[in-house]
Amino acid sequence: MYKEYEENFLTILGYSYRLEDIKQRLFFTFSEAVYAIDLDKLMRNEDSMRLNSIVYIWVLDELIKEYLTNEINQEQKQKALEVYKKIEQRKAAENKKYHMYQY
């Protein structure tokens, strides 16, 4: 079941790892989850609401495990950081194209 959501999961988990402190990762990820799901409800986007609900619950579950045990799944963390890095590189490339057209 989770295979279809894995890239989204790794993206959000990778995004959370930009913060060093687990307490901050939990707080901000929870805040982002509430905001994303609330926005989906307002927009009446059922597919996105379902996706965000599943993925954020999965990410929060992993972060809570980390908080309680002080153990990080290093393999999963590395995958998440790689996925997040690829997305950031793609955004940077798109932004570079945009800025080229401004001149």
Side-chain angles (χ1 to χ4, degrees), residues 56-72:
Y56 275 106
I57 288 171
W58 191 11
V59 170
L60 288 167
D61 183 54
E62 289 298 316
L63 293 177
I64 290 168
K65 286 178 193 173
E66 179 185 334
Y67 178 76
L68 294 174
T69 64
N70 292 322
E71 294 178 14
I72 298 175

Side-chain angles (χ1 to χ4, degrees), residues 57-93:
I57 288 171
W58 191 11
V59 170
L60 288 167
D61 183 54
E62 289 298 316
L63 293 177
I64 290 168
K65 286 178 193 173
E66 179 185 334
Y67 178 76
L68 294 174
T69 64
N70 292 322
E71 294 178 14
I72 298 175
N73 181 335
Q74 291 298 330
E75 182 182 329
Q76 187 172 330
K77 179 181 179 180
Q78 191 59 41
K79 277 181 165 178
L81 290 172
E82 288 171 12
V83 168
Y84 179 68
K85 184 179 176 181
K86 286 178 187 175
I87 289 171
E88 287 300 306
Q89 288 172 341
R90 207 173 335 159
K91 282 184 190 177

Side-chain angles (χ1 to χ4, degrees), residues 21-34:
D21 184 43
I22 181 61
K23 291 175 187 176
Q24 288 181 337
R25 285 202 302 271
L26 268 170
F27 175 79
F28 286 110
T29 303
F30 180 78
S31 298
E32 291 166 6
V34 170

Side-chain angles (χ1 to χ4, degrees), residues 5 8-9 12 29-30 32-41 45-60:
Y5 304 110
N8 297 88
F9 165 75
I12 294 170
T29 303
F30 180 78
E32 291 166 6
V34 170
Y35 175 77
I37 294 166
D38 192 39
L39 186 60
D40 291 336
K41 279 186 173 185
N45 189 340
E46 296 293 323
D47 292 336
S48 183
M49 188 169 64
R50 181 174 187 270
L51 171 72
N52 281 325
S53 297
I54 291 168
V55 172
Y56 275 106
I57 288 171
W58 191 11
V59 170
L60 288 167

